[in-house]
Amino acid sequence: MTAADQKRRDLAKIHIARKELGMEEEDYRAMLQDVAGVGSSADLTVAGRSKVLRRLEKLGWKPKTRKPRQKITAREPVDRKIRALWLDLANLGAVRDRSEKALNSYVSRQTGVDRMDWLSSKQAEKVIEALKQWQSRVEKQQRGAQ
């Protein structure tokens, strides 16, 4: 990360903290002057930005930490739902091949995405709705045949 990128990131944090703490303009400027000897955050040095951020934390601001995206963990319930619908269709006799490969082939035909675990939320919802409609049609046909 370049120094300019770090400066932008630090200034963004400072302004977010100020907003979240509900600091008035006068109080904010006085804090900048007191902590770093400047009247504007644009004039802060690296050390000054660090001091200001520490002061904002002492005033009660809690920076939000970014959690790393864990696509597989986050999507696991959706993947399980798709898999469960697929297996239900297999149990109803509508699907001959219960395999993961066959499911991924179906997903690819529906969305153009080769693997179920690569689907966006919107694409996964599309697949789920298509499977539910298919299941509903099969169940209606079976009830009508009896």
Side-chain angles (χ1 to χ4, degrees):
M1 178 179 306
T2 67
D5 290 338
Q6 187 61 49
K7 180 177 182 177
R8 272 193 295 278
R9 183 173 282 184
D10 289 346
L11 291 177
K13 285 180 186 179
I14 290 168
H15 292 291
I16 289 168
R18 174 186 169 212
K19 183 178 180 183
E20 288 180 0
L21 289 170
M23 287 182 96
E24 295 293 327
E25 184 73 22
E26 291 176 21
D27 296 333
Y28 171 67
R29 300 283 173 194
M31 187 264 310
L32 286 176
Q33 191 64 48
D34 181 49
V35 173
V38 297
S40 169
S41 61
D43 300 330
L44 288 168
T45 63
V46 174
R49 291 191 308 263
S50 181
K51 288 177 185 176
V52 168
L53 285 167
R54 279 197 306 272
R55 173 68 62 91
L56 290 166
E57 288 177 14
K58 284 181 184 176
L59 292 172
W61 178 65
K62 293 187 174 124
K64 293 182 175 80
T65 58
R66 281 189 167 181
K67 295 177 184 163
R69 279 184 81 188
Q70 295 179 342
K71 184 175 180 176
I72 294 171
T73 303
R75 295 292 311 279
E76 196 171 323
V78 174
D79 294 347
R80 276 191 272 184
K81 177 69 173 177
I82 292 171
R83 219 174 262 109
L85 288 166
W86 183 255
L87 294 175
D88 285 347
L89 283 162
N91 291 339
L92 290 170
V95 171
R96 290 186 305 254
D97 186 350
R98 308 167 69 94
S99 73
E100 196 77 13
K101 183 178 178 185
L103 174 55
N104 281 325
S105 182
Y106 174 79
V107 166
S108 179
R109 284 193 309 275
Q110 291 293 313
T111 64
V113 177
D114 290 337
R115 291 186 46 163
M116 177 178 58
D117 52 335
W118 294 345
L119 294 174
S120 69
S121 296
K122 189 174 183 179
Q123 292 167 326
E125 189 60 36
K126 178 182 176 185
V127 171
I128 289 170
E129 289 308 312
L131 289 168
K132 285 171 153 180
Q133 289 172 2
W134 186 9
Q135 184 179 26
S136 178
R137 285 191 307 273
V138 169
E139 288 172 345
K140 272 185 187 175
Q141 286 173 349
Q142 287 183 353
R143 279 194 303 266
Q146 291 177 356

